[in-house]
Structures are given as structure tokens and as C-alpha cells.
Amino acid sequence: MKFLEYAGIDAINSALVFETAECKVYGRVEPYSCKAAGADKKLYKQIEIKYDPSNSPPDSTDGPSSSFRNIISPFGPLDQPASRRTLFYLIGTLNASFPDYDFSDAKPEQFRKEPSVSMVVNSVNSTLLNHGNDRAVKELRIWDSIDNLIDFEDSDVYSYNPESDSDPNDEEGAGTLWSFNYFFFNRKLKRIIYFTMRGVSYGAPCEDGDEDDFSDLSDDDVGFASHRRKSYRYDDYVAGEMDMM
């Protein structure tokens, strides 16, 4: 997966890092191309070996693909290549966004296909507004920018809901109070927008650069600090020649 540079992304992500009376909130929006890189090719092969029924011994009753149809999947039957590709894209996006983690063992049932884009937009808006951040919604109009990148009309939305021991947003001692992970996926554009956010208690350890980001803010400015992302190794995800679509 290749991270896509976008001129307005820094302003959006700055507005998604803010403080409330109850917690500190860290959010980010990341656009990715579905062009597979070197780090993705191994993952793709692992998923094919694991879920492609042609790699399994025949079932004496229903044939080699019957067990895969019974696996819970929001992408459709995993004996279908398109379903496995969608799983690959979402796991590849997580690996790109959290390069210190390996999500290759993420299970299909840990993802969910959301009913509609509008429901997700309303849910995120409610989270932002309930935490006092109307600037991101009303002033920066983040959804207009995201729509320009992904085209909501042709997109599906998936969420990632892992167990706490496999959620990078919910590490032991991280002080995470709540979090969400959404993927806006446009198959035609071969593009994914990853939108994640979490609320962290004030007793939790600071993230990289967090003290600098908030220390110089006045009371009026708190909530819209510029947040420096961790130094993610995007060079590991430079697009290669392999396109799975």
C-alpha cells in the first residue's frame, strides 16, 4: 500500500488532535493507494495460501471450498478472489499505518462492513461534536476533502474491531478510553482512506511530540494543536509493480 500525499491532509489531521475536559483525542486520516509494494506481496501470498480453497484438500462432501464459505466474512465468501483481495487491502493498510505491528493474522470476523457511508459520517461527527470539536466538521469541512479523495458514492466502509490484545490503539497502559478504525474503500479508484481516532486518559503516557504540541497552547487554542506523527517507515511501502486488482 502506498501512502498518498494530499495538500489538505495536514490541516485535517492537526484538527483531529485535541484536548477535552475528559481526555486527549488523537485522530488521523490517511489515504492509500491499493498498489501493492514489496511488503505487501508476502502478505498477499499468506492470505492466498490460508484462504484459497485450491490450497486445501478436497472436502469429501461439498468439495474444497465448502469450509471457506462458512467463515464469517464481511467481504463475501472467502473462496472468491475478490473477497480475499478486500481482506488483503485492509490488512495491508493497517500494516502501512502501524509499521511496528504485524496484522497478518487479523481474522475476517474482526472486520465489519458498515451499513452506509452516511451512518459512519454521522457517527464520527457525533464523536467530534460531543467532544467539543465542531471546527473539524463545520470550518475545515473534513468530509468534503475526504469525499474528493475517495468519492463516497462509489465507496464501501469497513471497520476494524479487534480484541484488545491485538489493537494498537488499546495497548496495556496506553490509557485508551475509546477508539474507532474505519476504512473507506473505492474499488474503482483502487484507493482506501483510513480514519482512526482514540480518546486517551490524562494519566496515560504522552505520545511522541505530545508535550511539545500542547505545552504552548492558550486556553483558546487547546484542542487544535499540530500533532507530529511517529516517524513511520513509508519507504517500506513504496509502490511496486504488483497490482492485485
Side-chain angles (χ1 to χ4, degrees):
M1 309 297 289
K2 178 178 173 57
F3 181 80
L4 299 174
E5 298 292 342
Y6 175 66
I9 208 71
D10 288 342
I12 291 173
N13 287 336
S14 291
L16 295 178
V17 178
F18 57 99
E19 287 186 329
T20 74
E22 299 81 19
C23 63
K24 291 182 285 187
V25 179
Y26 299 93
R28 67 179 189 269
V29 173
E30 297 178 343
Y32 289 94
S33 165
C34 292
K35 190 78 171 181
D40 297 315
K41 297 176 184 179
K42 180 179 178 181
L43 171 64
Y44 183 75
K45 291 179 181 178
Q46 289 175 334
I47 291 175
E48 286 296 291
I49 290 172
K50 188 173 184 179
Y51 294 110
D52 185 348
S54 66
N55 295 314
S56 301
D59 183 285
S60 59
T61 303
D62 300 312
S65 64
S66 61
S67 61
F68 293 91
R69 292 195 182 98
N70 295 328
I71 296 176
I72 300 172
S73 166
F75 321 116
L78 288 176
D79 61 341
Q80 300 298 313
S83 301
R84 298 194 299 273
R85 279 198 298 269
T86 302
L87 175 62
F88 158 70
Y89 290 141
L90 300 192
I91 294 177
T93 298
L94 288 170
N95 281 341
S97 187
F98 298 94
D100 292 331
Y101 295 80
D102 182 3
F103 295 88
S104 58
D105 290 330
K107 298 177 176 60
E109 59 266 28
Q110 293 177 319
F111 297 90
R112 172 186 170 183
K113 186 175 182 180
E114 299 297 325
S116 69
V117 170
S118 61
M119 289 184 66
V120 171
V121 169
N122 289 336
S123 176
V124 174
N125 283 348
S126 294
T127 298
L128 290 168
L129 295 174
N130 288 340
H131 286 83
N133 188 348
D134 59 349
R135 175 172 178 257
V137 178
K138 297 179 180 179
E139 182 180 332
L140 292 179
R141 302 181 66 85
I142 61 172
W143 297 113
D144 288 347
S145 297
I146 295 174
D147 187 22
N148 287 336
L149 282 167
I150 200 69
D151 189 0
F152 287 147
E153 288 190 2
D154 286 327
S155 297
D156 293 320
V157 188
Y158 297 92
S159 58
Y160 177 56
N161 306 284
E163 300 294 332
S164 59
D165 59 356
S166 59
D167 185 354
N169 284 327
D170 195 21
E171 289 182 316
E172 184 177 356
T176 300
L177 303 174
W178 53 266
S179 67
F180 62 70
N181 302 277
Y182 290 119
F183 306 81
F184 297 84
F185 178 32
N186 187 312
R187 288 177 174 80
K188 293 181 180 179
L189 295 178
K190 301 181 182 179
R191 186 175 296 171
I192 287 177
I193 301 290
Y194 176 53
F195 193 154
T196 183
M197 186 177 290
R198 65 187 181 119
V200 180
S201 65
Y202 280 104
C206 293
E207 291 198 355
D208 291 352
D210 184 48
E211 292 180 353
D212 293 338
D213 289 337
F214 290 115
S215 60
D216 296 332
L217 292 177
S218 67
D219 291 340
D220 291 335
D221 291 332
V222 158
F224 305 112
S226 176
H227 178 57
R228 293 193 299 272
R229 284 195 60 201
K230 294 178 182 178
S231 181
Y232 292 152
R233 299 188 298 271
Y234 284 118
D235 53 314
D236 291 339
Y237 296 91
V238 175
E241 297 301 323
M242 188 177 182
D243 191 345
M244 307 298 180
M245 293 296 287

mmCIF file of all heavy atoms in Angstrom, residues 122-146:
data_model
loop_
_atom_site.group_PDB
_atom_site.id
_atom_site.type_symbol
_atom_site.label_atom_id
_atom_site.label_comp_id
_atom_site.label_asym_id
_atom_site.label_seq_id
_atom_site.Cartn_x
_atom_site.Cartn_y
_atom_site.Cartn_z
ATOM 1 N N ASN A 122 -22.068 10.297 10.236
ATOM 2 C CA ASN A 122 -22.843 10.816 11.364
ATOM 3 C C ASN A 122 -22.264 10.370 12.699
ATOM 4 O O ASN A 122 -22.246 11.144 13.672
ATOM 5 C CB ASN A 122 -24.306 10.366 11.257
ATOM 6 C CG ASN A 122 -25.049 11.069 10.143
ATOM 7 O OD1 ASN A 122 -24.686 12.163 9.735
ATOM 8 N ND2 ASN A 122 -26.093 10.437 9.629
ATOM 9 N N SER A 123 -21.786 9.146 12.757
ATOM 10 C CA SER A 123 -21.188 8.638 13.995
ATOM 11 C C SER A 123 -19.913 9.400 14.347
ATOM 12 O O SER A 123 -19.709 9.795 15.498
ATOM 13 C CB SER A 123 -20.886 7.140 13.846
ATOM 14 O OG SER A 123 -20.227 6.647 14.993
ATOM 15 N N VAL A 124 -19.056 9.616 13.354
ATOM 16 C CA VAL A 124 -17.819 10.363 13.600
ATOM 17 C C VAL A 124 -18.131 11.805 13.977
ATOM 18 O O VAL A 124 -17.529 12.367 14.898
ATOM 19 C CB VAL A 124 -16.893 10.302 12.368
ATOM 20 C CG1 VAL A 124 -15.672 11.207 12.569
ATOM 21 C CG2 VAL A 124 -16.452 8.869 12.108
ATOM 22 N N ASN A 125 -19.078 12.411 13.271
ATOM 23 C CA ASN A 125 -19.474 13.782 13.600
ATOM 24 C C ASN A 125 -19.980 13.887 15.037
ATOM 25 O O ASN A 125 -19.662 14.847 15.754
ATOM 26 C CB ASN A 125 -20.553 14.270 12.639
ATOM 27 C CG ASN A 125 -19.998 14.650 11.280
ATOM 28 O OD1 ASN A 125 -18.783 14.754 11.110
ATOM 29 N ND2 ASN A 125 -20.871 14.858 10.317
ATOM 30 N N SER A 126 -20.757 12.914 15.448
ATOM 31 C CA SER A 126 -21.266 12.916 16.817
ATOM 32 C C SER A 126 -20.122 12.839 17.823
ATOM 33 O O SER A 126 -20.133 13.539 18.845
ATOM 34 C CB SER A 126 -22.228 11.742 17.034
ATOM 35 O OG SER A 126 -23.393 11.879 16.254
ATOM 36 N N THR A 127 -19.131 12.022 17.520
ATOM 37 C CA THR A 127 -17.972 11.910 18.407
ATOM 38 C C THR A 127 -17.243 13.237 18.500
ATOM 39 O O THR A 127 -16.892 13.705 19.595
ATOM 40 C CB THR A 127 -17.017 10.822 17.904
ATOM 41 O OG1 THR A 127 -17.691 9.551 17.909
ATOM 42 C CG2 THR A 127 -15.772 10.726 18.788
ATOM 43 N N LEU A 128 -17.008 13.865 17.347
ATOM 44 C CA LEU A 128 -16.298 15.148 17.342
ATOM 45 C C LEU A 128 -17.091 16.231 18.065
ATOM 46 O O LEU A 128 -16.545 16.974 18.891
ATOM 47 C CB LEU A 128 -16.007 15.566 15.899
ATOM 48 C CG LEU A 128 -14.952 14.745 15.153
ATOM 49 C CD1 LEU A 128 -14.972 15.074 13.673
ATOM 50 C CD2 LEU A 128 -13.560 14.985 15.730
ATOM 51 N N LEU A 129 -18.364 16.341 17.757
ATOM 52 C CA LEU A 129 -19.184 17.401 18.351
ATOM 53 C C LEU A 129 -19.385 17.173 19.848
ATOM 54 O O LEU A 129 -19.369 18.124 20.635
ATOM 55 C CB LEU A 129 -20.525 17.477 17.638
ATOM 56 C CG LEU A 129 -20.466 17.895 16.157
ATOM 57 C CD1 LEU A 129 -21.841 17.805 15.513
ATOM 58 C CD2 LEU A 129 -19.899 19.303 16.007
ATOM 59 N N ASN A 130 -19.553 15.922 20.251
ATOM 60 C CA ASN A 130 -19.734 15.620 21.670
ATOM 61 C C ASN A 130 -18.474 15.913 22.486
ATOM 62 O O ASN A 130 -18.551 16.106 23.703
ATOM 63 C CB ASN A 130 -20.138 14.162 21.866
ATOM 64 C CG ASN A 130 -21.560 13.887 21.428
ATOM 65 O OD1 ASN A 130 -22.383 14.798 21.326
ATOM 66 N ND2 ASN A 130 -21.860 12.626 21.145
ATOM 67 N N HIS A 131 -17.340 15.948 21.793
ATOM 68 C CA HIS A 131 -16.081 16.278 22.465
ATOM 69 C C HIS A 131 -15.662 17.725 22.199
ATOM 70 O O HIS A 131 -14.508 18.095 22.410
ATOM 71 C CB HIS A 131 -14.969 15.305 22.033
ATOM 72 C CG HIS A 131 -15.101 13.947 22.643
ATOM 73 N ND1 HIS A 131 -15.926 12.983 22.118
ATOM 74 C CD2 HIS A 131 -14.526 13.391 23.748
ATOM 75 C CE1 HIS A 131 -15.852 11.893 22.855
ATOM 76 N NE2 HIS A 131 -15.015 12.101 23.852
ATOM 77 N N GLY A 132 -16.590 18.517 21.714
ATOM 78 C CA GLY A 132 -16.360 19.947 21.587
ATOM 79 C C GLY A 132 -15.558 20.387 20.382
ATOM 80 O O GLY A 132 -15.099 21.528 20.315
ATOM 81 N N ASN A 133 -15.407 19.510 19.386
ATOM 82 C CA ASN A 133 -14.612 19.857 18.203
ATOM 83 C C ASN A 133 -15.544 20.036 17.002
ATOM 84 O O ASN A 133 -15.696 19.137 16.172
ATOM 85 C CB ASN A 133 -13.575 18.770 17.914
ATOM 86 C CG ASN A 133 -12.602 19.174 16.820
ATOM 87 O OD1 ASN A 133 -12.805 20.154 16.121
ATOM 88 N ND2 ASN A 133 -11.535 18.409 16.671
ATOM 89 N N ASP A 134 -16.176 21.206 16.923
ATOM 90 C CA ASP A 134 -17.004 21.470 15.749
ATOM 91 C C ASP A 134 -16.200 22.093 14.623
ATOM 92 O O ASP A 134 -16.675 22.190 13.494
ATOM 93 C CB ASP A 134 -18.181 22.365 16.114
ATOM 94 C CG ASP A 134 -17.751 23.705 16.705
ATOM 95 O OD1 ASP A 134 -16.556 23.852 17.020
ATOM 96 O OD2 ASP A 134 -18.617 24.591 16.854
ATOM 97 N N ARG A 135 -14.974 22.496 14.918
ATOM 98 C CA ARG A 135 -14.142 23.139 13.893
ATOM 99 C C ARG A 135 -13.834 22.180 12.747
ATOM 100 O O ARG A 135 -13.896 22.559 11.573
ATOM 101 C CB ARG A 135 -12.833 23.641 14.512
ATOM 102 C CG ARG A 135 -11.846 24.227 13.518
ATOM 103 C CD ARG A 135 -10.661 24.871 14.213
ATOM 104 N NE ARG A 135 -9.697 25.389 13.266
ATOM 105 C CZ ARG A 135 -8.545 24.794 12.967
ATOM 106 N NH1 ARG A 135 -8.225 23.654 13.558
ATOM 107 N NH2 ARG A 135 -7.715 25.316 12.090
ATOM 108 N N ALA A 136 -13.519 20.926 13.092
ATOM 109 C CA ALA A 136 -13.179 19.951 12.050
ATOM 110 C C ALA A 136 -14.357 19.717 11.115
ATOM 111 O O ALA A 136 -14.186 19.564 9.901
ATOM 112 C CB ALA A 136 -12.734 18.641 12.693
ATOM 113 N N VAL A 137 -15.558 19.708 11.687
ATOM 114 C CA VAL A 137 -16.743 19.404 10.896
ATOM 115 C C VAL A 137 -17.235 20.621 10.119
ATOM 116 O O VAL A 137 -17.498 20.544 8.912
ATOM 117 C CB VAL A 137 -17.867 18.872 11.815
ATOM 118 C CG1 VAL A 137 -19.126 18.587 10.994
ATOM 119 C CG2 VAL A 137 -17.404 17.620 12.551
ATOM 120 N N LYS A 138 -17.356 21.756 10.813
ATOM 121 C CA LYS A 138 -18.025 22.917 10.225
ATOM 122 C C LYS A 138 -17.074 23.869 9.505
ATOM 123 O O LYS A 138 -17.425 24.438 8.471
ATOM 124 C CB LYS A 138 -18.774 23.668 11.324
ATOM 125 C CG LYS A 138 -19.877 22.843 11.966
ATOM 126 C CD LYS A 138 -20.581 23.620 13.077
ATOM 127 C CE LYS A 138 -21.691 22.804 13.717
ATOM 128 N NZ LYS A 138 -22.372 23.534 14.810
ATOM 129 N N GLU A 139 -15.869 24.060 10.062
ATOM 130 C CA GLU A 139 -14.946 25.023 9.458
ATOM 131 C C GLU A 139 -14.053 24.368 8.415
ATOM 132 O O GLU A 139 -13.953 24.839 7.274
ATOM 133 C CB GLU A 139 -14.098 25.678 10.553
ATOM 134 C CG GLU A 139 -13.127 26.730 10.023
ATOM 135 C CD GLU A 139 -12.311 27.351 11.130
ATOM 136 O OE1 GLU A 139 -12.784 27.400 12.285
ATOM 137 O OE2 GLU A 139 -11.174 27.792 10.852
ATOM 138 N N LEU A 140 -13.399 23.283 8.809
ATOM 139 C CA LEU A 140 -12.496 22.613 7.869
ATOM 140 C C LEU A 140 -13.244 21.723 6.883
ATOM 141 O O LEU A 140 -12.691 21.356 5.848
ATOM 142 C CB LEU A 140 -11.458 21.789 8.639
ATOM 143 C CG LEU A 140 -10.448 22.575 9.452
ATOM 144 C CD1 LEU A 140 -9.497 21.630 10.176
ATOM 145 C CD2 LEU A 140 -9.650 23.535 8.569
ATOM 146 N N ARG A 141 -14.459 21.339 7.231
ATOM 147 C CA ARG A 141 -15.288 20.505 6.344
ATOM 148 C C ARG A 141 -14.494 19.278 5.871
ATOM 149 O O ARG A 141 -14.280 19.057 4.675
ATOM 150 C CB ARG A 141 -15.809 21.325 5.162
ATOM 151 C CG ARG A 141 -16.621 22.547 5.583
ATOM 152 C CD ARG A 141 -17.131 23.319 4.380
ATOM 153 N NE ARG A 141 -18.100 22.539 3.626
ATOM 154 C CZ ARG A 141 -19.403 22.480 3.901
ATOM 155 N NH1 ARG A 141 -19.886 23.148 4.933
ATOM 156 N NH2 ARG A 141 -20.215 21.757 3.156
ATOM 157 N N ILE A 142 -14.068 18.506 6.857
ATOM 158 C CA ILE A 142 -13.197 17.365 6.558
ATOM 159 C C ILE A 142 -13.846 16.383 5.599
ATOM 160 O O ILE A 142 -13.158 15.746 4.792
ATOM 161 C CB ILE A 142 -12.757 16.636 7.842
ATOM 162 C CG1 ILE A 142 -13.977 16.089 8.603
ATOM 163 C CG2 ILE A 142 -11.927 17.551 8.721
ATOM 164 C CD1 ILE A 142 -13.597 15.195 9.773
ATOM 165 N N TRP A 143 -15.178 16.271 5.662
ATOM 166 C CA TRP A 143 -15.826 15.271 4.805
ATOM 167 C C TRP A 143 -15.812 15.672 3.339
ATOM 168 O O TRP A 143 -15.803 14.806 2.458
ATOM 169 C CB TRP A 143 -17.248 15.014 5.289
ATOM 170 C CG TRP A 143 -17.266 14.432 6.672
ATOM 171 C CD1 TRP A 143 -17.732 15.013 7.813
ATOM 172 C CD2 TRP A 143 -16.757 13.146 7.051
ATOM 173 N NE1 TRP A 143 -17.549 14.176 8.879
ATOM 174 C CE2 TRP A 143 -16.957 13.022 8.445
ATOM 175 C CE3 TRP A 143 -16.153 12.091 6.351
ATOM 176 C CZ2 TRP A 143 -16.579 11.889 9.142
ATOM 177 C CZ3 TRP A 143 -15.764 10.965 7.045
ATOM 178 C CH2 TRP A 143 -15.984 10.864 8.429
ATOM 179 N N ASP A 144 -15.806 16.964 3.056
ATOM 180 C CA ASP A 144 -15.664 17.397 1.670
ATOM 181 C C ASP A 144 -14.306 16.961 1.115
ATOM 182 O O ASP A 144 -14.203 16.485 -0.027
ATOM 183 C CB ASP A 144 -15.800 18.919 1.563
ATOM 184 C CG ASP A 144 -17.230 19.393 1.782
ATOM 185 O OD1 ASP A 144 -18.144 18.546 1.768
ATOM 186 O OD2 ASP A 144 -17.427 20.612 1.961
ATOM 187 N N SER A 145 -13.269 17.130 1.929
ATOM 188 C CA SER A 145 -11.919 16.738 1.498
ATOM 189 C C SER A 145 -11.824 15.232 1.307
ATOM 190 O O SER A 145 -11.257 14.748 0.322
ATOM 191 C CB SER A 145 -10.883 17.207 2.522
ATOM 192 O OG SER A 145 -10.857 18.613 2.618
ATOM 193 N N ILE A 146 -12.392 14.475 2.245
ATOM 194 C CA ILE A 146 -12.333 13.016 2.143
ATOM 195 C C ILE A 146 -13.141 12.527 0.939
ATOM 196 O O ILE A 146 -12.721 11.623 0.211
ATOM 197 C CB ILE A 146 -12.835 12.377 3.454
ATOM 198 C CG1 ILE A 146 -11.878 12.731 4.603
ATOM 199 C CG2 ILE A 146 -12.951 10.866 3.310
ATOM 200 C CD1 ILE A 146 -12.358 12.273 5.968
#
